[in-house]
Amino acid sequence: LTGERRAEHPRSFTRVEVVHRLRGRDLSSVAIEEAIRLSDTRYCSVRASLAPTVEIVSRYEIIPA
């Protein structure tokens, strides 16, 4: 995770970037994207709590095995 915060107090987050790093062979980008989508839209209560006021961006990187 990386984040950007407001310059003034309270220094709350304005943007958060979530990077999912996966290692393996023959990983399905479709399956990875679906898992991240479900996490973003259904299962992550932290994201649900922050999303109305904080921009949250998810991406992934595949690290060769």
Side-chain angles (χ1 to χ4, degrees):
L1 294 173
T2 57
E4 298 172 9
R5 297 181 355 165
R6 294 169 16 125
E8 61 279 347
H9 290 280
R11 293 193 35 120
S12 56
F13 284 95
T14 57
R15 183 176 190 279
V16 174
E17 181 179 29
V18 181
V19 180
H20 303 266
R21 290 192 177 97
L22 302 107
R23 183 182 314 257
R25 286 181 236 145
D26 302 322
L27 299 177
S28 166
S29 60
V30 172
I32 293 167
E33 290 167 6
E34 177 65 4
I36 292 171
R37 184 191 69 76
L38 287 170
S39 176
D40 288 350
T41 61
R42 177 175 271 182
Y43 298 117
C44 185
S45 59
V46 173
R47 183 182 180 97
S49 299
L50 295 175
T53 57
V54 179
E55 176 189 11
I56 302 175
V57 178
S58 292
R59 66 182 177 88
Y60 69 93
E61 299 172 354
I62 297 176
I63 302 168

